[in-house]
Amino acid sequence: MVYVGILIVITVVVYLYKKSTAKESREDDMQGLQTFDKDGKINIDITNRLAKYCGKINALTLTGSVVDPAINGKDVWFSYTCNPKSTLDKYLNFSDIHIQTYFTYPELIVNGDTISWKFHNVERPFYSGSGSSLSMAEIVPHLRVTIYYGVY
């Protein structure tokens, strides 16, 4: 009977020891993503939840919106790409300093389950090498800006 009692005590001690060391190792082995601003404050912290891709938007107009119920009430993330069509070079050289200086990706606004976009600097014309100009409304479809979004 004494041996059984000692065996139970040893089992409990080993169990508690393993439980405490396992907890400590999980805290030390955190995974995820954290980004910080210049003052050291956290901008993004997704160490305790995963990001989910929901879709993409081809922003071919100066303004627009899409509805996606998957984003309603959640934190939304965005990423942009710009892949200009070769036809844009007929009008402008995309590497031209003029378009690099004044082109901005669209502003994005999330309201419930709706994502809206709006390009800025739309009143400024872009000049081609021949001296003619194009409005931002004429350029945006050729820029092929794609907005990828999701939730986390």
Side-chain angles (χ1 to χ4, degrees):
M1 188 70 155
V2 174
Y3 294 117
V4 174
I6 293 173
L7 186 59
I8 291 173
V9 170
I10 291 171
T11 305
V12 169
V13 169
V14 169
Y15 170 76
L16 292 175
Y17 176 75
K18 284 185 177 183
K19 185 177 177 183
S20 68
T21 57
K23 184 177 180 183
E24 290 172 5
S25 66
R26 283 191 195 126
E27 291 173 357
D28 292 339
D29 296 334
M30 286 181 58
Q31 295 182 16
L33 170 71
Q34 288 183 326
T35 61
F36 302 87
D37 67 8
K38 64 181 179 175
D39 299 323
K41 294 179 184 172
I42 294 177
N43 286 333
I44 298 172
D45 184 357
I46 55 171
T47 55
N48 59 354
R49 53 188 171 166
L50 296 175
K52 176 183 175 187
Y53 170 78
C54 292
K56 70 179 182 176
I57 303 165
N58 292 315
L60 302 176
T61 58
L62 293 176
T63 61
S65 63
V66 296
V67 175
D68 188 342
I71 67 167
N72 196 15
K74 297 185 174 81
D75 293 326
V76 181
W77 59 263
F78 297 101
S79 178
Y80 303 90
T81 61
C82 182
N83 187 16
K85 287 183 179 179
S86 60
T87 57
L88 186 60
D89 283 334
K90 291 180 184 177
Y91 309 108
L92 292 171
N93 180 358
F94 189 68
S95 62
D96 183 356
I97 191 69
H98 182 75
I99 198 164
Q100 288 181 10
T101 302
Y102 298 109
F103 172 74
T104 58
Y105 284 101
E107 173 187 6
L108 297 168
I109 301 163
V110 177
N111 186 6
D113 62 355
T114 304
I115 300 172
S116 302
W117 70 89
K118 177 183 178 182
F119 281 91
H120 293 280
N121 294 330
V122 295
E123 67 284 344
R124 177 177 293 280
F126 291 91
Y127 298 98
S128 67
S130 64
S132 61
S133 65
L134 294 170
S135 70
M136 189 67 171
E138 294 170 293
I139 292 175
V140 166
H142 295 283
L143 291 175
R144 295 194 317 193
V145 173
T146 303
I147 304 162
Y148 299 90
Y149 67 94
V151 296
Y152 58 91

